[in-house]
Short mmCIF file of all heavy atoms in Angstrom, two decimals:
data_model
loop_
_atom_site.label_atom_id
_atom_site.label_comp_id
_atom_site.label_asym_id
_atom_site.label_seq_id
_atom_site.Cartn_x
_atom_site.Cartn_y
_atom_site.Cartn_z
N ARG A 304 -59.92 11.48 -75.22
CA ARG A 304 -60.01 12.32 -74.02
C ARG A 304 -60.51 13.72 -74.36
O ARG A 304 -61.30 14.30 -73.62
CB ARG A 304 -58.65 12.41 -73.33
CG ARG A 304 -58.47 11.31 -72.30
CD ARG A 304 -57.25 11.55 -71.47
NE ARG A 304 -56.19 10.75 -72.07
CZ ARG A 304 -54.92 11.03 -72.07
NH1 ARG A 304 -54.48 12.10 -71.49
NH2 ARG A 304 -54.05 10.24 -72.64
N ILE A 305 -60.03 14.28 -75.48
CA ILE A 305 -60.48 15.61 -75.87
C ILE A 305 -61.97 15.58 -76.22
O ILE A 305 -62.74 16.41 -75.76
CB ILE A 305 -59.66 16.15 -77.06
CG1 ILE A 305 -58.20 16.33 -76.64
CG2 ILE A 305 -60.23 17.46 -77.56
CD1 ILE A 305 -57.25 16.57 -77.80
N TRP A 306 -62.37 14.60 -77.02
CA TRP A 306 -63.77 14.51 -77.43
C TRP A 306 -64.68 14.18 -76.24
O TRP A 306 -65.86 14.53 -76.26
CB TRP A 306 -63.94 13.50 -78.56
CG TRP A 306 -63.63 14.13 -79.88
CD1 TRP A 306 -62.44 14.15 -80.52
CD2 TRP A 306 -64.53 14.88 -80.69
NE1 TRP A 306 -62.53 14.85 -81.69
CE2 TRP A 306 -63.81 15.31 -81.83
CE3 TRP A 306 -65.87 15.22 -80.59
CZ2 TRP A 306 -64.37 16.07 -82.84
CZ3 TRP A 306 -66.45 15.98 -81.60
CH2 TRP A 306 -65.70 16.39 -82.71
N ALA A 307 -64.15 13.55 -75.21
CA ALA A 307 -64.96 13.24 -74.02
C ALA A 307 -65.40 14.51 -73.30
O ALA A 307 -66.36 14.50 -72.53
CB ALA A 307 -64.19 12.34 -73.07
N LEU A 308 -64.72 15.62 -73.55
CA LEU A 308 -65.12 16.90 -72.97
C LEU A 308 -66.47 17.37 -73.52
O LEU A 308 -67.12 18.23 -72.92
CB LEU A 308 -64.06 17.98 -73.26
CG LEU A 308 -62.68 17.75 -72.67
CD1 LEU A 308 -61.70 18.77 -73.24
CD2 LEU A 308 -62.73 17.83 -71.16
N PHE A 309 -66.86 16.81 -74.65
CA PHE A 309 -68.09 17.23 -75.33
C PHE A 309 -68.99 16.02 -75.56
O PHE A 309 -69.09 15.50 -76.68
CB PHE A 309 -67.74 17.89 -76.67
CG PHE A 309 -66.73 18.99 -76.51
CD1 PHE A 309 -65.39 18.77 -76.80
CD2 PHE A 309 -67.10 20.23 -76.03
CE1 PHE A 309 -64.45 19.77 -76.63
CE2 PHE A 309 -66.18 21.24 -75.85
CZ PHE A 309 -64.85 21.01 -76.15
N PRO A 310 -69.66 15.55 -74.52
CA PRO A 310 -70.45 14.31 -74.64
C PRO A 310 -71.62 14.41 -75.61
O PRO A 310 -72.09 13.40 -76.11
CB PRO A 310 -70.92 14.04 -73.21
CG PRO A 310 -70.78 15.33 -72.49
CD PRO A 310 -69.71 16.11 -73.18
N THR A 311 -72.07 15.62 -75.91
CA THR A 311 -73.22 15.76 -76.83
C THR A 311 -72.78 15.90 -78.28
O THR A 311 -73.62 15.89 -79.17
CB THR A 311 -74.07 16.98 -76.44
OG1 THR A 311 -73.26 18.16 -76.53
CG2 THR A 311 -74.63 16.84 -75.04
N ALA A 312 -71.48 16.02 -78.53
CA ALA A 312 -71.00 16.18 -79.91
C ALA A 312 -70.58 14.82 -80.46
O ALA A 312 -69.95 14.03 -79.78
CB ALA A 312 -69.81 17.14 -79.94
N ASN A 313 -70.97 14.57 -81.71
CA ASN A 313 -70.54 13.36 -82.39
C ASN A 313 -69.11 13.53 -82.87
O ASN A 313 -68.74 14.61 -83.35
CB ASN A 313 -71.45 13.06 -83.58
CG ASN A 313 -72.84 12.69 -83.14
OD1 ASN A 313 -73.01 12.11 -82.08
ND2 ASN A 313 -73.82 13.02 -83.96
N TYR A 314 -68.33 12.45 -82.77
CA TYR A 314 -66.93 12.51 -83.19
C TYR A 314 -66.86 12.78 -84.69
O TYR A 314 -67.63 12.23 -85.49
CB TYR A 314 -66.21 11.20 -82.87
CG TYR A 314 -64.81 11.21 -83.41
CD1 TYR A 314 -63.79 11.85 -82.72
CD2 TYR A 314 -64.51 10.61 -84.63
CE1 TYR A 314 -62.51 11.90 -83.23
CE2 TYR A 314 -63.23 10.65 -85.15
CZ TYR A 314 -62.23 11.31 -84.45
OH TYR A 314 -60.96 11.37 -84.96
N ARG A 315 -65.91 13.64 -85.05
CA ARG A 315 -65.62 13.92 -86.45
C ARG A 315 -64.10 13.91 -86.64
O ARG A 315 -63.35 14.03 -85.67
CB ARG A 315 -66.18 15.29 -86.85
CG ARG A 315 -67.71 15.31 -86.81
CD ARG A 315 -68.29 16.67 -87.16
NE ARG A 315 -67.86 17.76 -86.33
CZ ARG A 315 -68.37 18.07 -85.14
NH1 ARG A 315 -69.33 17.32 -84.63
NH2 ARG A 315 -67.94 19.10 -84.45
N THR A 316 -63.66 13.79 -87.85
CA THR A 316 -62.23 13.76 -88.14
C THR A 316 -61.55 14.99 -87.55
O THR A 316 -62.01 16.11 -87.75
CB THR A 316 -62.00 13.70 -89.66
OG1 THR A 316 -62.70 12.56 -90.16
CG2 THR A 316 -60.53 13.58 -89.98
N SER A 317 -60.44 14.76 -86.84
CA SER A 317 -59.75 15.83 -86.15
C SER A 317 -58.24 15.65 -86.26
O SER A 317 -57.74 14.53 -86.30
CB SER A 317 -60.11 15.83 -84.66
OG SER A 317 -61.49 15.91 -84.48
N ILE A 318 -57.55 16.78 -86.28
CA ILE A 318 -56.09 16.80 -86.21
C ILE A 318 -55.69 17.88 -85.22
O ILE A 318 -56.52 18.70 -84.82
CB ILE A 318 -55.45 17.07 -87.60
CG1 ILE A 318 -55.97 18.39 -88.18
CG2 ILE A 318 -55.70 15.91 -88.54
CD1 ILE A 318 -55.26 18.81 -89.44
N ALA A 319 -54.43 17.87 -84.83
CA ALA A 319 -53.97 18.86 -83.85
C ALA A 319 -52.76 19.62 -84.39
O ALA A 319 -51.95 19.07 -85.14
CB ALA A 319 -53.61 18.18 -82.54
N TYR A 320 -52.66 20.88 -83.98
CA TYR A 320 -51.52 21.72 -84.30
C TYR A 320 -51.03 22.38 -83.02
O TYR A 320 -51.82 22.69 -82.13
CB TYR A 320 -51.89 22.81 -85.32
CG TYR A 320 -51.88 22.32 -86.74
CD1 TYR A 320 -53.01 21.77 -87.32
CD2 TYR A 320 -50.72 22.39 -87.50
CE1 TYR A 320 -53.00 21.30 -88.62
CE2 TYR A 320 -50.69 21.92 -88.81
CZ TYR A 320 -51.83 21.38 -89.36
OH TYR A 320 -51.81 20.91 -90.65
N VAL A 321 -49.71 22.63 -82.98
CA VAL A 321 -49.11 23.35 -81.87
C VAL A 321 -48.61 24.68 -82.42
O VAL A 321 -47.93 24.72 -83.45
CB VAL A 321 -47.93 22.59 -81.24
CG1 VAL A 321 -47.29 23.40 -80.13
CG2 VAL A 321 -48.39 21.25 -80.73
N ALA A 322 -48.93 25.77 -81.74
CA ALA A 322 -48.41 27.09 -82.06
C ALA A 322 -47.39 27.45 -80.99
O ALA A 322 -47.71 27.46 -79.80
CB ALA A 322 -49.54 28.11 -82.09
N SER A 323 -46.13 27.72 -81.44
CA SER A 323 -45.07 27.95 -80.47
C SER A 323 -43.96 28.81 -81.08
O SER A 323 -43.68 28.66 -82.26
CB SER A 323 -44.49 26.60 -80.03
OG SER A 323 -43.47 26.77 -79.09
N PRO A 324 -43.30 29.64 -80.32
CA PRO A 324 -43.64 30.06 -78.97
C PRO A 324 -44.62 31.22 -79.01
O PRO A 324 -44.63 32.02 -79.93
CB PRO A 324 -42.29 30.53 -78.40
CG PRO A 324 -41.58 31.09 -79.60
CD PRO A 324 -42.01 30.23 -80.76
N VAL A 325 -45.45 31.27 -78.00
CA VAL A 325 -46.37 32.39 -77.80
C VAL A 325 -45.92 33.04 -76.48
O VAL A 325 -46.07 32.44 -75.43
CB VAL A 325 -47.83 31.91 -77.73
CG1 VAL A 325 -48.76 33.07 -77.44
CG2 VAL A 325 -48.21 31.22 -79.04
N TRP A 326 -45.36 34.21 -76.58
CA TRP A 326 -44.78 34.89 -75.41
C TRP A 326 -45.79 35.80 -74.75
O TRP A 326 -46.46 36.59 -75.41
CB TRP A 326 -43.59 35.74 -75.83
CG TRP A 326 -42.39 34.98 -76.26
CD1 TRP A 326 -42.08 34.60 -77.54
CD2 TRP A 326 -41.33 34.51 -75.44
NE1 TRP A 326 -40.89 33.92 -77.55
CE2 TRP A 326 -40.40 33.86 -76.28
CE3 TRP A 326 -41.07 34.58 -74.07
CZ2 TRP A 326 -39.23 33.28 -75.79
CZ3 TRP A 326 -39.90 34.01 -73.60
CH2 TRP A 326 -39.00 33.37 -74.45
N ILE A 327 -45.86 35.71 -73.44
CA ILE A 327 -46.61 36.68 -72.65
C ILE A 327 -45.57 37.45 -71.82
O ILE A 327 -44.94 36.88 -70.93
CB ILE A 327 -47.67 36.03 -71.75
CG1 ILE A 327 -48.72 35.35 -72.62
CG2 ILE A 327 -48.31 37.06 -70.83
CD1 ILE A 327 -49.85 34.71 -71.88
N ASP A 328 -45.39 38.70 -72.19
CA ASP A 328 -44.40 39.54 -71.53
C ASP A 328 -44.99 40.14 -70.26
O ASP A 328 -46.21 40.26 -70.12
CB ASP A 328 -43.94 40.66 -72.46
CG ASP A 328 -43.18 40.11 -73.66
OD1 ASP A 328 -42.48 39.10 -73.51
OD2 ASP A 328 -43.29 40.71 -74.75
N PRO A 329 -44.13 40.56 -69.34
CA PRO A 329 -44.62 41.21 -68.11
C PRO A 329 -45.41 42.48 -68.45
O PRO A 329 -45.17 43.12 -69.47
CB PRO A 329 -43.33 41.56 -67.35
CG PRO A 329 -42.26 40.75 -67.97
CD PRO A 329 -42.68 40.45 -69.37
N ALA A 330 -46.32 42.83 -67.56
CA ALA A 330 -47.15 44.02 -67.77
C ALA A 330 -46.31 45.29 -67.77
O ALA A 330 -46.57 46.23 -68.53
CB ALA A 330 -48.23 44.11 -66.70
N GLN A 331 -45.29 45.33 -66.93
CA GLN A 331 -44.42 46.50 -66.84
C GLN A 331 -43.13 46.21 -67.61
O GLN A 331 -42.52 45.17 -67.41
CB GLN A 331 -44.08 46.81 -65.38
CG GLN A 331 -45.29 47.13 -64.53
CD GLN A 331 -46.00 48.39 -65.00
OE1 GLN A 331 -45.36 49.36 -65.39
NE2 GLN A 331 -47.31 48.36 -64.99
N PRO A 332 -42.70 47.14 -68.48
CA PRO A 332 -41.44 46.92 -69.19
C PRO A 332 -40.28 46.92 -68.21
O PRO A 332 -40.36 47.51 -67.13
CB PRO A 332 -41.35 48.10 -70.16
CG PRO A 332 -42.26 49.13 -69.61
CD PRO A 332 -43.31 48.41 -68.82
N PRO A 333 -39.19 46.24 -68.57
CA PRO A 333 -38.04 46.20 -67.66
C PRO A 333 -37.47 47.60 -67.45
O PRO A 333 -37.51 48.44 -68.34
CB PRO A 333 -37.04 45.29 -68.37
CG PRO A 333 -37.46 45.28 -69.79
CD PRO A 333 -38.93 45.55 -69.83
N VAL A 334 -36.95 47.83 -66.26
CA VAL A 334 -36.33 49.11 -65.95
C VAL A 334 -34.96 49.14 -66.62
O VAL A 334 -34.16 48.23 -66.45
CB VAL A 334 -36.18 49.29 -64.41
CG1 VAL A 334 -35.46 50.57 -64.09
CG2 VAL A 334 -37.54 49.23 -63.75
N GLN A 335 -34.74 50.19 -67.40
CA GLN A 335 -33.47 50.32 -68.10
C GLN A 335 -32.43 50.96 -67.19
O GLN A 335 -32.73 51.91 -66.48
CB GLN A 335 -33.64 51.17 -69.37
CG GLN A 335 -34.62 50.57 -70.38
CD GLN A 335 -34.15 49.23 -70.89
OE1 GLN A 335 -32.97 49.02 -71.12
NE2 GLN A 335 -35.09 48.31 -71.07
N ALA A 336 -31.22 50.44 -67.24
CA ALA A 336 -30.13 51.02 -66.45
C ALA A 336 -29.79 52.39 -67.00
O ALA A 336 -29.95 52.67 -68.18
CB ALA A 336 -28.91 50.11 -66.52
N ARG A 337 -29.35 53.25 -66.11
CA ARG A 337 -28.95 54.59 -66.54
C ARG A 337 -27.65 54.51 -67.32
O ARG A 337 -26.83 53.63 -67.11
CB ARG A 337 -28.80 55.47 -65.32
CG ARG A 337 -30.17 55.67 -64.63
CD ARG A 337 -30.07 56.37 -63.33
NE ARG A 337 -29.48 57.70 -63.48
CZ ARG A 337 -29.29 58.52 -62.47
NH1 ARG A 337 -29.62 58.17 -61.25
NH2 ARG A 337 -28.74 59.69 -62.66
N VAL A 338 -27.45 55.43 -68.23
CA VAL A 338 -26.28 55.45 -69.09
C VAL A 338 -25.09 56.01 -68.33
O VAL A 338 -25.18 57.05 -67.69
CB VAL A 338 -26.56 56.30 -70.35
CG1 VAL A 338 -25.33 56.36 -71.23
CG2 VAL A 338 -27.74 55.73 -71.11
N VAL A 339 -23.96 55.31 -68.41
CA VAL A 339 -22.72 55.78 -67.79
C VAL A 339 -22.06 56.76 -68.76
O VAL A 339 -21.76 56.42 -69.90
CB VAL A 339 -21.77 54.60 -67.48
CG1 VAL A 339 -20.43 55.12 -66.96
CG2 VAL A 339 -22.41 53.66 -66.50
#
């Protein structure tokens, strides 16, 4: 299925790796509570 994405490429030996976890944090940092 992966190689079918590239119909003009000839199949070659392939392996797969997973990179985890990859965190995407919010654009705005969390609001910190005021100190009591």
